[in-house]
Amino acid sequence: MIKNYFKIAFRTLLNHKAFSFINIIGLAIGMTAFFLIFLYIKFELSYDSFHSKADRIYRVVSDIKTPTETINANCPSWAVASHAKQEFPEIESFVRVSNARLLVRKGNIKFQEENSLFADSSFFQVFDFKLLKGNPQTALKEKFSIILSQTAAKKYFGDTNPVGQTLSLTDRNLNAVVTGLMQDIPENSQIKADVLLSMPTLTNEFNKGLDDQWGNYGNRTYLLLRPGTEPKVLEAKFPAFLERRNGKEMKQSQMYPTLFLEPLREVYLYSTRDGSKTGNITNVYIFIIVAVFILLIACFNFVNLTTARSAERAKEVGIRKVVGAARLQLAKQFIGESIIICLIAFAVSILFSSLLLPLFNQLSGKVISRHIFSHLLYPFLLFLIAISIGILAGIYPALILSSFQPIVVLKGRFTTGTKGLLMRKGLVIIQFTVSIALIISTIIVYNQMNYMRSQDLGFNKDHKLIIDTDGDSSKSAFKQAITSLAGVTSTAMAGSVPGGGNAGAYSQIENVKGDMQVANLDLYFVDFDYIPQYKLKILAGRAFSRDFQTDTSQAMIVNEAAMKMFGYTLPKQIIGKKFDQWGRKGVIVGVVKDFHFRSLQEVIKPLSIRIEPNFCNLVSININSKNIPSTIAAIENKWKELMPNRPFSYYFLDDFFDKQYRSEDRFGRLFLNFAVFAIFISCLGLLGLASYSTTQRTKEIGIRKVMGASVPNILNLLSKEFLKLVTLAFFVAAPIAWYFMHKWLQNFAYHTTINWWVFVAAGFCALAIALATISFQAIKAALANPVKSLRTE
């Protein structure tokens, strides 16, 4: 019996190749989209899950309250971890990691290691990063101990064992001993590094006394709590701990930190701390919804397409019933055919997924999976989903087809009920509701990206080449040497550029009441050429000038946001007011118009700007666009002449600044691709319903043509019903899309408005797509010879 079912199923598929192809491709595309989104979601949710102690690891963060604001920091002060470990038995261990940018050399091989960290010796005890060679207990214990990833080790030592070898660090040629070789850190880790340098190198050599500094922030701290420890109970003990250890300094500085514990597994997707928002749980939820709806659309298509063919198989069912087939047997046969189609679609979707995975990795900006069988459970789940779709999606047409009355269908008077027609129309409405909502959402996402890129940033970022000298002693000479090069129009030096990190500084500024008000201000260190080169607009006072000798030590410029923070309403009111910042005292000499020195996702914060040559390591070079390669080559020659021990590298400021929106760009591209998938599958469903409708109305169309109806008349007759369904879907989709995209836009401090034309454009787009889909079947029916459809009457 089962063998017979298979024979009938395959014969049916082969006898209706076009129908079978559309049905299988629709299901395959739906399952492919679902599977790829599933891989993406699983990857996003898997961050840091590979650590065996992940449920006991917590990141320490701080809310620092000042008289002016509350700073939400993603770290505690340097002294917190070691002192808390001494005081609280609930803490089994701790790890601090701090970003490093190291010049590493081995003979003539030299790299500026951007992806490197200082780390405590407990790094491999708390985390499950795999150390392939070396002792995990002692590898980071001594000063100038260095651990390399497999990728980094290959650069310096090829395939030889690096442990015990020596590398030179910084331009001071400090010798570091390689004490370990670690496996490359997985992609789904927040902590990423190719080079680890022991923490004592930083705290006992580069910055002595750092372990006891309570007002210095800049390290990420992780605590491993003992089993059974309740983090909220430990959190409640921190205020008294800070008061005992640092109460006097807190009162003097008027900065009062509160410590919190964030579960390691939640940091990536849920934390909103400055510098930590790399993932986005909202986007994950959005993709879950999209995946489910695409799969549902594919299922709806199956029902519509199969039902559209029910009239063609009515006589087959009638004959089978006459010769003794029971309704249950017929239902099994049709459900079996449904499962076979789904299994074929499953095989095709596996092929599609395998072919599209590299492109999907590229679109998502990360390697979510090397190949689709990296986790065998995932394809097996897709297999189970295919079987379930086959059963669930096949039940309705199986019941309808097996319920036909043989005497009716064999006389050629088969018609379907109103309920079935309403259900099919409802499915089309649901499909196009999802599709139109995705079209609207895609337009809004791209509008937001364009809005951010077209905003007046308040500074000039065009044709700027940025080179990091890393504090090399020849940096000033290098700047002077390249100023006269052909193609170089101006140069400047600073500690920060827009879009890059900048320091936060404990400051006291004279406010509108005449009091010295405490605040934590963002701080830019610049030289005299920075403000004119970036075309920052001076609203009051003046820019820094070499004509004023005191500008190098006693002058500060603030932005509008800082001016308002201290109670002033007009820029000129703050000119001449006193400041005290990091040991420097003086007066404010100018106010610059607010500019976006951070991402447009953040509001412009109060900023202070000072002349400080020792901290100006970034050289900004304005170049003309006529012969960029030769200009860069000339700059590189000067670099090699003056700083031969450092590798030459650069980036363009506009590219660097735009990187801030890379995650939104990827989100938009993924959204667009899945919207196209959904629309395509919906069109297949519409094609199925149009096919069904024209089959049902074949004789009506023939009579109308005999009576003189033209092709446009027939096209209008068959199209208007479906266009009504798409229009109804639009009115359902529009408010849903507006609600969710309005919430999504709230993630941006500066965002576009949702204009009415977005909905009009999406509606016309959906109607055009639907009309193009329907027209194919309608024109085919309108051009058919009426004699063929009427000859049985």
Side-chain angles (χ1 to χ4, degrees):
M1 183 66 72
I2 295 176
K3 183 180 179 181
N4 188 47
Y5 287 164
F6 273 97
K7 279 185 179 181
I8 295 170
F10 281 110
R11 282 174 184 169
T12 303
L13 292 176
L14 292 174
N15 289 336
H16 302 87
K17 295 182 180 66
F19 162 80
S20 303
F21 176 79
I22 292 174
N23 217 348
I24 290 169
I25 289 299
L27 275 173
I29 291 175
M31 286 193 285
T32 299
F34 176 84
F35 187 57
L36 291 176
I37 297 175
F38 173 78
L39 290 178
Y40 174 80
I41 292 167
K42 286 293 292 183
F43 182 83
E44 289 292 285
L45 296 174
S46 73
Y47 265 75
D48 299 306
S49 61
F50 56 88
H51 298 297
S52 60
K53 304 168 188 171
D55 60 330
R56 295 194 286 128
I57 301 173
Y58 292 80
R59 188 179 70 159
V60 186
V61 297
S62 309
D63 280 354
I64 308 166
K65 188 176 182 181
T66 72
T68 307
E69 60 180 337
T70 298
I71 304 163
N72 304 122
N74 65 349
C75 59
S77 65
W78 276 93
V80 163
S82 56
H83 289 80
K85 173 67 172 68
Q86 297 171 12
E87 188 157 331
F88 299 112
E90 298 97 319
I91 300 174
E92 183 177 316
S93 187
F94 70 87
V95 175
R96 295 167 301 174
V97 294
S98 180
N99 294 333
R101 193 171 184 272
L102 298 171
L103 172 62
V104 181
R105 287 184 294 161
K106 175 66 175 177
N108 293 324
I109 304 170
K110 54 191 175 186
F111 289 97
Q112 193 73 47
E113 294 289 355
E114 308 280 351
N115 194 23
S116 52
L117 295 172
F118 292 104
D120 280 308
S121 59
S122 54
F123 186 81
F124 292 100
Q125 285 80 60
V126 174
F127 299 115
D128 286 354
F129 300 118
K130 191 172 182 181
L131 195 64
L132 303 175
K133 295 182 184 296
N135 187 337
Q137 306 289 334
T138 60
L140 290 172
K141 196 169 185 178
E142 303 297 330
K143 285 194 304 182
F144 296 110
S145 297
I146 193 169
I147 291 176
L148 303 177
S149 69
Q150 291 169 292
T151 300
K154 198 168 187 65
K155 291 191 299 187
Y156 299 103
F157 302 103
D159 295 326
T160 61
N161 184 1
V163 176
Q165 303 278 358
T166 302
L167 292 170
S168 294
L169 304 181
T170 76
D171 54 356
R172 292 159 54 190
N173 293 325
L174 301 170
N175 289 329
V177 177
V178 180
T179 54
L181 174 68
M182 68 176 175
Q183 191 176 69
D184 286 346
I185 290 178
E187 179 78 27
N188 58 338
S189 172
Q190 297 170 64
I191 299 171
K192 293 183 173 70
D194 286 320
V195 176
L196 297 177
L197 194 59
S198 59
M199 187 61 74
T201 310
L202 176 63
T203 58
N204 297 337
E205 184 69 28
F206 294 158
N207 197 339
K208 293 181 179 179
L210 200 58
D211 283 336
D212 293 313
Q213 292 183 12
W214 292 90
N216 192 341
Y217 293 73
N219 70 100
R220 284 174 286 164
T221 298
Y222 301 88
L223 301 182
L224 175 64
L225 304 186
R226 296 191 186 279
T229 299
E230 176 55 52
K232 290 296 180 184
V233 174
L234 180 59
E235 267 185 11
K237 298 178 182 180
F238 286 150
F241 159 73
L242 291 174
E243 181 64 32
R244 287 193 300 273
R245 298 278 184 162
N246 192 42
K248 184 177 179 181
E249 185 177 335
M250 289 191 299
K251 290 182 178 66
Q252 288 176 345
S253 64
Q254 298 182 56
M255 298 181 74
Y256 299 91
T258 303
L259 302 178
F260 299 97
L261 298 177
E262 291 183 339
L264 178 68
R265 290 291 310 277
E266 295 182 9
V267 172
Y268 174 74
L269 286 175
Y270 294 92
S271 180
T272 56
R273 298 277 164 174
D274 186 24
S276 302
K277 194 63 180 174
T278 47
N280 191 323
I281 191 62
T282 301
N283 289 354
V284 170
Y285 290 146
I286 289 172
F287 279 124
I288 288 173
I289 294 170
V290 170
V292 170
F293 274 113
I294 286 179
L295 194 60
L296 286 176
I297 286 173
C299 294
F300 296 163
N301 272 1
F302 184 86
V303 173
N304 272 347
L305 289 169
T306 304
T307 308
R309 280 202 58 244
S310 60
E312 298 176 26
R313 302 192 68 179
K315 289 184 179 180
E316 173 195 340
V317 172
I319 292 170
R320 289 181 181 278
K321 281 199 166 187
V322 167
V323 298
R327 184 175 181 182
L328 181 61
Q329 288 176 310
L330 291 170
K332 285 181 180 179
Q333 177 187 326
F334 292 122
I335 292 175
E337 288 181 16
S338 171
I339 292 174
I340 289 171
I341 292 174
C342 287
L343 289 178
I344 296 172
F346 163 74
V348 175
S349 73
I350 288 293
L351 176 63
F352 284 176
S353 298
S354 182
L355 294 174
L356 292 174
L357 186 59
L359 176 61
F360 187 68
N361 285 334
Q362 185 179 344
L363 284 173
S364 61
K366 57 187 76 175
V367 181
I368 61 171
S369 182
R370 298 288 177 186
H371 53 81
I372 60 172
F373 297 108
S374 295
H375 301 278
L376 289 176
L377 178 62
Y378 299 166
F380 180 69
L381 287 174
L382 187 63
F383 173 79
L384 294 179
I385 289 172
I387 296 291
S388 301
I389 291 173
I391 295 172
L392 295 175
I395 285 175
Y396 174 75
L399 293 177
I400 294 298
L401 292 171
S402 64
S403 68
F404 294 164
Q405 295 297 320
I407 192 169
V408 174
V409 296
L410 290 176
K411 286 183 177 181
R413 296 198 298 270
F414 163 68
T415 57
T416 57
T418 306
K419 291 183 179 178
L421 182 61
L422 289 175
M423 191 200 78
R424 286 188 291 277
K425 289 182 177 180
L427 294 181
V428 170
I429 291 171
I430 294 172
Q431 288 176 319
F432 270 87
T433 296
V434 174
S435 299
I436 294 169
L438 288 174
I439 293 172
I440 293 170
S441 301
T442 301
I443 295 172
I444 292 172
V445 168
Y446 275 88
N447 280 350
Q448 176 61 18
M449 296 301 100
N450 291 331
Y451 175 84
M452 290 194 295
R453 289 195 173 89
S454 63
Q455 281 295 290
D456 179 12
L457 300 174
F459 68 93
N460 178 267
K461 64 181 176 72
D462 298 328
H463 304 125
K464 280 188 172 56
L465 197 72
I466 310 298
I467 300 177
D468 194 339
T469 65
D470 287 284
D472 194 284
S473 57
S474 300
K475 62 183 181 181
S476 296
F478 172 71
K479 180 199 170 188
Q480 289 300 118
I482 62 174
T483 301
S484 58
L485 292 176
V488 174
T489 57
S490 69
T491 59
M493 296 191 72
S496 308
V497 293
N502 50 275
Y506 174 79
S507 312
Q508 295 183 57
I509 307 288
E510 186 179 353
N511 64 20
V512 71
K513 297 177 181 178
D515 301 324
M516 294 301 287
Q517 181 175 321
V518 173
N520 187 75
L521 298 180
D522 281 335
L523 173 60
Y524 263 27
F525 293 123
V526 303
D527 68 0
F528 291 103
D529 301 312
Y530 188 87
I531 289 177
Q533 188 194 51
Y534 279 79
K535 297 182 180 179
L536 303 183
K537 186 177 180 181
I538 299 292
L539 299 178
R542 60 177 176 83
F544 297 119
S545 172
R546 291 182 176 87
D547 296 334
F548 297 88
Q549 293 184 357
T550 56
D551 276 6
T552 57
S553 58
Q554 300 175 27
M556 175 185 285
I557 291 174
V558 297
N559 67 350
E560 292 175 275
M563 173 202 79
K564 293 172 184 175
M565 172 184 276
F566 298 105
Y568 300 100
T569 55
L570 298 174
K572 64 182 181 180
Q573 294 173 335
I574 200 172
I575 302 301
K577 301 303 181 182
K578 293 180 288 186
F579 75 85
D580 185 345
Q581 184 185 70
W582 273 6
R584 297 284 192 184
K585 295 183 179 181
V587 296
I588 294 169
V589 299
V591 177
V592 295
K593 183 178 176 61
D594 280 344
F595 65 97
H596 291 278
F597 59 93
R598 296 190 181 193
S599 166
L600 281 166
Q601 291 170 299
E602 301 179 58
V603 296
I604 297 175
K605 295 186 176 181
L607 175 69
S608 57
I609 306 173
R610 283 185 15 221
I611 298 284
E612 196 70 56
N614 290 337
F615 294 102
C616 292
N617 296 328
L618 299 177
V619 182
S620 300
I621 309 166
N622 263 19
I623 59 177
N624 64 46
S625 57
K626 290 183 179 179
N627 200 344
I628 293 175
S630 63
T631 302
I632 294 175
I635 293 170
E636 184 176 4
N637 288 334
K638 290 295 182 183
W639 177 276
K640 290 178 178 178
E641 178 185 325
L642 293 168
M643 289 180 271
N645 293 326
R646 291 186 179 276
F648 177 74
S649 64
Y650 65 90
Y651 57 86
F652 285 96
L653 181 61
D654 52 357
D655 291 338
F656 178 73
F657 194 82
D658 288 346
K659 282 181 182 179
Q660 299 172 100
Y661 316 120
R662 186 168 290 172
S663 62
E664 283 74 27
D665 276 339
R666 289 168 181 157
F667 174 75
R669 288 198 297 270
L670 287 173
F671 210 88
L672 173 63
N673 281 274
F674 290 122
V676 170
F677 277 166
I679 293 164
F680 179 75
I681 300 170
S682 296
C683 288
L684 290 179
L686 197 60
L687 182 64
L689 195 57
S691 172
Y692 174 81
S693 179
T694 53
T695 301
Q696 290 292 93
R697 303 176 74 172
T698 300
K699 289 184 175 62
E700 177 192 346
I701 293 169
I703 293 170
R704 287 180 179 275
K705 289 196 71 177
V706 169
M707 299 298 292
S710 64
V711 172
N713 293 145
I714 301 299
L715 182 60
N716 178 61
L717 174 71
L718 296 175
S719 300
K720 64 182 181 181
E721 180 183 354
F722 300 110
L723 294 181
K724 287 178 182 178
L725 299 179
V726 176
T727 303
L728 180 58
F730 167 77
F731 285 108
V732 176
I736 295 173
W738 179 89
Y739 174 78
F740 283 104
M741 295 315 295
H742 177 74
K743 291 192 70 174
W744 181 76
L745 287 172
Q746 303 314 304
N747 293 322
F748 301 87
Y750 303 91
H751 56 78
T752 186
T753 55
I754 302 178
N755 295 308
W756 62 267
W757 65 262
V758 171
F759 300 95
V760 174
F764 275 114
C765 182
L767 285 171
I769 292 170
L771 186 60
T773 304
I774 298 162
S775 297
F776 171 77
Q777 194 69 30
I779 292 172
K780 180 182 175 183
L783 294 175
N785 187 347
V787 173
K788 291 182 179 180
S789 59
L790 296 175
R791 64 186 175 185
T792 58
E793 294 299 321

